[in-house]
Amino acid sequence: MPALLPSTDLARQRAPGAALIGACDDAEAVALWLAEHHDSPRTLASYRKETERFLLWLAERGRGLSGVLRDDVLAYQAFLADPQPAWRWVGPSRPREHAEWKPFGGPLSPGSVRHSVTVLGALFAYLNDAAYLAGNPFRLKKRRQSAVRTTGAERHLDKDCWQTVLTTLDALPADTARERDHAERARWLFALLYLSGARRSEIADAKMGDWFERRGRWWWRIHGKGGVTADVPVADSLFSALTRYRARLGLAARPLPGEDVPLVCRVTGRGARRFAPLSDKAIYLIVKTVFARAAETAPADKRETLLAATTHWLRHTAASHQLDAGVPLLLVSQNLRHASLQTTRRYLHSEDDARHEASRGLDWRPAEP
């Protein structure tokens, strides 16, 4: 286990042969669990960060994994929302080996707290199944409230919001060569997110050579979530956007088989590193910046939506707009690589519209003869 994990002096020992893993202490047990995710670097990095934070928090309390109770789970959730004392836990982003490194950059959002608890629940489930731990306090939950059926499609941009975004992209500064590079990359990035419905991590990892022609049609082989690979059709307008972006990079119009140029590049001038890949975090920040610009000129009732929007909203927007345009539900589901049609159905507004239209004429009084 790398040095990023705390001391194991407080870890619990197990009798030889009692468990299905050969771990002697908590650090080794966590290392074995993390090793299960070696084939997914992003997942591994996320899981390592969450487990390290938790183990550091436990070490402060003189506890090992076997001593964690449901009370500790609830206390840790509250701690994530407000890491105190701040001087000990919170600080600016620094390399892990830096002397002033801190585990947190600030309080976690509710979504990030849920993510952390989910990760730790998976860790405890693994160690419980392996008979290293006797139980999983993360599985204990209060009785679930009655579920409320919603469309789940609130996090998307309607046509007016999307038009505001397009207008903003057309108006990006372009007085210098560097500004034009930034503007062209932003245009390409939004076209890619909107027309493909791809996740930002899939875009960050993609190469130009992942695009290929088959029987006169262009496809993008996406290496996606959970290690699943799928071929997604490329719309003519998306291919046109690619050729425009490639022209800005000084490349030929059509990508070559095996071409190693990142699908979206950093703006680094025209030197040797002009084809450096853009990170998924940078993609997120670029999109948020454009949304913020769009909010400045949007009608008052649209500003809050645009300020809240993220890269993942564009995936939802892609599904909603494709279904609204009449693309069959099954095809949209396949393009977005949803595991279930029900996931895609959440964006099919026409079903709810038809249900409402059929119901609006109902009356509690009978019609007059």
Side-chain angles (χ1 to χ4, degrees):
M1 174 59 63
L4 58 79
L5 286 172
S7 167
T8 61
D9 292 343
L10 304 169
R12 176 192 63 163
Q13 304 296 318
R14 295 279 302 192
L20 300 178
I21 55 176
C24 294
D25 57 38
D26 287 355
E28 290 185 9
V30 171
L32 288 169
W33 176 68
L34 291 174
E36 300 278 0
H37 306 284
H38 70 92
D39 56 344
S40 181
R42 294 181 189 278
T43 299
L44 177 60
S46 174
Y47 285 13
R48 177 179 288 141
K49 178 177 69 175
E50 298 303 339
T51 52
E52 177 183 19
R53 286 171 168 173
F54 187 58
L55 290 172
L56 288 169
W57 184 81
L58 284 178
E60 286 278 300
R61 285 150 182 77
R63 310 283 285 278
L65 295 178
S66 63
V68 175
L69 303 175
R70 181 61 183 173
D71 312 52
D72 298 308
V73 174
L74 299 176
Y76 186 62
Q77 287 180 260
F79 169 78
L80 291 174
D82 184 22
Q84 294 295 332
W87 64 267
R88 184 173 182 82
W89 294 97
V90 179
S93 178
R94 299 184 189 278
R96 179 60 183 82
E97 61 275 8
H98 194 283
E100 297 182 8
W101 172 86
K102 303 293 183 184
F104 297 91
L108 299 192
S109 68
S112 295
V113 172
R114 288 193 297 272
H115 170 72
S116 180
V117 170
T118 299
V119 170
L120 295 173
L123 166 65
F124 272 74
Y126 176 86
L127 298 180
N128 186 207
D129 291 344
Y132 179 82
L133 295 178
N136 183 355
F138 285 86
R139 281 184 173 171
L140 298 175
K141 296 181 180 180
K142 65 180 180 180
R143 188 178 182 89
R144 293 187 62 181
Q145 302 293 326
S146 298
V148 177
R149 183 186 181 274
T150 64
T151 63
E154 291 82 3
R155 296 188 304 163
H156 82 288
L157 304 178
D158 63 21
K159 295 296 178 64
D160 291 338
C161 280
W162 181 240
Q163 186 56 55
T164 302
V165 170
L166 295 179
T167 302
T168 301
L169 288 169
D170 290 339
L172 288 175
D175 295 330
T176 67
R178 189 172 183 82
E179 286 179 338
R180 287 191 289 276
D181 284 340
H182 279 283
E184 287 295 331
R185 184 183 62 186
R187 287 173 59 95
W188 162 236
L189 186 53
F190 269 79
L192 187 57
L193 286 161
Y194 177 78
L195 290 171
S196 73
R199 302 173 179 91
R200 73 172 190 265
S201 60
E202 295 167 345
I203 291 174
D205 292 338
K207 307 293 185 182
M208 295 283 188
D210 294 334
W211 289 41
F212 62 95
E213 191 175 19
R214 184 170 63 206
R215 294 193 295 275
R217 296 176 173 86
W218 279 91
W219 298 80
W220 174 14
R221 180 157 295 161
I222 295 181
H223 306 285
K225 187 176 180 181
V228 176
T229 299
D231 294 342
V232 174
V234 174
D236 293 345
S237 59
L238 182 55
F239 191 77
S240 296
L242 173 67
T243 59
R244 173 171 171 161
Y245 181 60
R246 286 175 63 85
R248 186 66 195 174
L249 295 177
L251 298 170
R254 297 159 64 93
L256 301 174
E259 187 174 345
D260 199 39
V261 175
L263 193 57
V264 184
C265 300
R266 294 171 55 189
V267 173
T268 56
R270 294 291 181 260
R273 287 181 53 78
R274 66 187 176 124
F275 297 142
L278 194 67
S279 69
D280 65 341
K281 183 176 182 180
I283 291 173
Y284 177 87
L285 293 174
I286 290 170
V287 170
K288 288 293 289 184
T289 298
V290 172
F291 283 148
R293 282 178 174 268
E296 292 175 359
T297 58
D301 61 331
K302 303 295 183 182
R303 289 172 192 164
E304 186 176 346
T305 297
L306 287 165
L307 289 173
T310 67
T311 50
H312 204 68
W313 283 44
L314 291 176
R315 180 171 167 82
H316 296 176
T317 301
S320 295
H321 289 191
Q322 287 178 31
L323 290 168
D324 288 347
V327 179
L329 178 67
L330 177 60
L331 299 185
V332 176
S333 183
Q334 291 173 337
N335 288 347
L336 270 68
R337 293 152 288 124
H338 285 154
S340 167
L341 273 177
Q342 292 305 115
T343 302
T344 317
R345 190 178 295 277
R346 295 179 303 172
Y347 306 102
L348 191 57
H349 307 295
S350 58
E351 286 190 349
D352 282 341
D353 291 344
R355 187 159 57 92
H356 189 280
E357 188 64 28
S359 304
R360 66 185 302 178
L362 299 176
D363 195 348
W364 66 290
R365 292 179 180 273
E368 293 292 336

